[in-house]
Amino acid sequence: MSIDLKQLKYFLAVAEEKSFSRAAERLHISQPPLSQQIMKLESELGVRLFTRTTRSFELTVAGRALMVEAADLLGRMRMTIDTIRQIDRGQVGRLRVGIVGSAMWGPIPGLLERFQTDFPRVTWTIHELGPNDQWEALRNKQIDVGFWREPRIEPDVLKAANLRQELCFKEQFCVAVNARHPLAGRDAISLLDIAGEPMLTLHLDQSAEPRYLMQCCVNAGFEPTIFQEAAEPQTLLAMVGAGLGVALMPETTSRIGWPGVRFLPINAHAPSANLYISYPAQDDAPVVRAFLKILFPDSPAE
C-alpha cells in the first residue's frame, strides 16, 4: 500500500467542499488530476469513499471515517513540522549551562532572563561547577556551554578537545578586606599592599584561576602567604568578614552586601577576571546557537 499525504490532503478538500470542482479551485489544480488522485486513493484502500450520482455527492461510511482520521493526521503533521522548524531555530529544546559560582554575581542572571524571554519553550538548567569539572562535562556532553574566568585556554588545547572559547564579559579582580583592616579606608590599593597578608584563595588544584592569581602576586613583587583554601567564593568572603585574611575577588562580587567586607579596586595592573564561554566546536545544536546569539547579538549570522 502506498498512500501519501498529498492524496489525503486532496481527499479532505473534496470531502469538505463536497465538490470536485470547488476542491480543485481551492487546491489550485485542475479537476482531472484531482479525480485521478482520489481514484488512486480508493484503489489503494480497496474501498469507495464517495457515492456519486448525477444529482448527489456523498461520503460513504468509510469516507466519513477517513475524513476524521485524515484531518487529525494532517493536523498532527502540521504541528510536527512546526515543532521541527522551531527546534531548528533553537526555540524548543534543552540547554545545560555550567558556571563558576562567582559568575552569578555579574551579568549571567540578566543574560538568562533575556534568553528565557526570547525562547520561553527552551528548558535550561544551571550546573555550578569549577572550571576543571566544566571542562570534563563539556567533553562528555553533560553540559552544552560553560562559563569560567581567566586564564584563557590555549588554542591548541581547545582544538584538541574540540572546544571553542570566546570572551563574553570583561572584568578585573579587586581585593576583599575586612572592614576594620587598615587598608579598608583606601579608595584603591596596589597588589603589593597586601604582601604579607594572610591570603584566602580557592583550591589551587580546582582550576587554573587561583594559580593565575598567585602568579599575578609574584609578578607584582611578592610571594603570597596562603592561609586557607576553599571550594566556594562565598566561603572566602565569610572568612574575610571574620578577619581571617584577604582575598582576590571579581569586581562584580561587590554588588552583594557582604557583612564586614570592603572591596578595594587595584589601581595598577589588576589581574583580569574576564569571563569566557566555552562550547563544543562542531556541535550544531540550534539551542546553543540561539543562546550565543543572545550573548553576542552583533555577531554575523552563520
Side-chain angles (χ1 to χ4, degrees), residues 75-93:
R76 284 188 283 117
M77 180 56 68
R78 283 191 292 269
M79 290 178 61
T80 298
I81 291 171
D82 184 56
T83 298
I84 293 300
R85 287 172 175 166
Q86 289 183 21
I87 290 173
D88 184 64
R89 293 192 294 266
Q91 295 174 319
V92 176

Side-chain angles (χ1 to χ4, degrees), residues 103-112 114 168-169 171 252 255 275:
M104 291 303 289
W105 298 329
I108 297 299
L111 170 67
L112 292 171
R114 292 197 301 275
C168 50
F169 299 111
E171 191 177 351
T252 48
R255 296 178 181 178
L275 197 64

Side-chain angles (χ1 to χ4, degrees), residues 5-296:
L5 292 176
K6 181 175 71 174
Q7 289 174 324
L8 293 179
K9 178 182 176 182
Y10 285 3
F11 161 75
L12 197 58
V14 174
E16 290 174 346
E17 297 292 340
K18 295 185 178 181
S19 164
F20 274 86
S21 59
R22 288 196 299 271
E25 183 178 351
R26 167 176 151 183
L27 295 168
H28 305 291
I29 61 173
S30 61
Q31 188 170 331
L34 175 59
S35 299
Q36 291 172 4
Q37 288 295 326
I38 297 300
M39 287 191 296
K40 183 178 179 182
L41 177 61
E42 288 180 318
S43 176
E44 290 286 350
L45 292 172
V47 300
R48 293 190 64 186
L49 298 172
F50 298 100
T51 299
R52 306 173 184 84
T53 67
T54 55
R55 295 185 178 181
S56 66
F57 181 90
E58 298 291 338
L59 286 163
T60 64
V61 173
R64 289 195 295 272
L66 181 60
M67 183 179 179
V68 173
E69 295 295 333
D72 180 64
L73 178 62
L74 291 172
R76 284 188 283 117
M77 180 56 68
R78 283 191 292 269
M79 290 178 61
T80 298
I81 291 171
D82 184 56
T83 298
I84 293 300
R85 287 172 175 166
Q86 289 183 21
I87 290 173
D88 184 64
R89 293 192 294 266
Q91 295 174 319
V92 176
R94 177 184 66 166
L95 183 72
R96 299 162 299 176
V97 182
I99 59 164
V100 291
S102 63
M104 291 303 289
W105 298 329
I108 297 299
L111 170 67
L112 292 171
E113 182 184 18
R114 292 197 301 275
F115 183 67
Q116 181 168 305
T117 299
D118 290 357
F119 298 91
R121 295 186 63 189
V122 174
T123 300
W124 54 266
T125 53
I126 289 291
H127 303 263
E128 193 170 347
L129 301 167
N132 290 351
D133 291 335
Q134 285 192 54
W135 178 268
E136 291 303 319
L138 280 168
R139 295 181 64 184
N140 294 323
K141 299 187 181 300
Q142 295 169 333
I143 60 174
D144 302 298
V145 299
F147 287 96
W148 62 75
R149 299 188 184 275
E150 295 279 6
R152 183 182 177 91
I153 305 299
E154 292 298 325
D156 57 335
V157 178
L158 286 168
K159 184 176 180 180
N162 194 30
L163 295 176
R164 288 181 182 171
Q165 188 175 65
E166 297 184 57
L167 173 64
C168 50
F169 299 111
K170 290 185 176 182
E171 191 177 351
Q172 293 181 327
F173 279 94
C174 63
V175 179
V177 302
N178 185 272
R180 298 183 301 275
H181 194 283
L183 294 172
R186 302 263 201 99
D187 292 330
I189 62 173
S190 69
L191 271 180
L192 202 56
D193 287 327
I194 59 173
E197 295 286 343
M199 181 71 72
L200 306 171
T201 178
L202 295 175
H203 290 302
L204 294 175
D205 60 354
Q206 186 181 54
S207 71
E209 179 192 309
R211 297 193 298 274
Y212 159 74
L213 291 173
M214 297 306 102
Q215 185 59 49
C216 287
C217 292
V218 172
N219 294 344
F222 70 98
E223 185 76 33
T225 304
I226 298 174
F227 176 62
Q228 290 291 336
E229 298 179 28
E232 301 294 340
Q234 55 266 34
T235 306
L236 299 180
L237 289 169
M239 288 192 285
V240 172
L244 299 176
V246 302
L248 290 165
M249 303 296 295
E251 288 175 330
T252 48
T253 311
S254 62
R255 296 178 181 178
I256 309 297
W258 296 95
V261 178
R262 279 279 330 263
F263 296 92
L264 305 175
I266 299 170
N267 54 25
H269 308 295
S272 170
N274 289 342
L275 197 64
Y276 294 89
I277 184 172
S278 300
Y279 55 95
Q282 296 178 353
D283 189 353
D284 192 36
V287 172
V288 173
R289 293 202 308 268
F291 186 71
L292 292 173
K293 190 61 181 176
I294 294 290
L295 184 57
F296 304 111

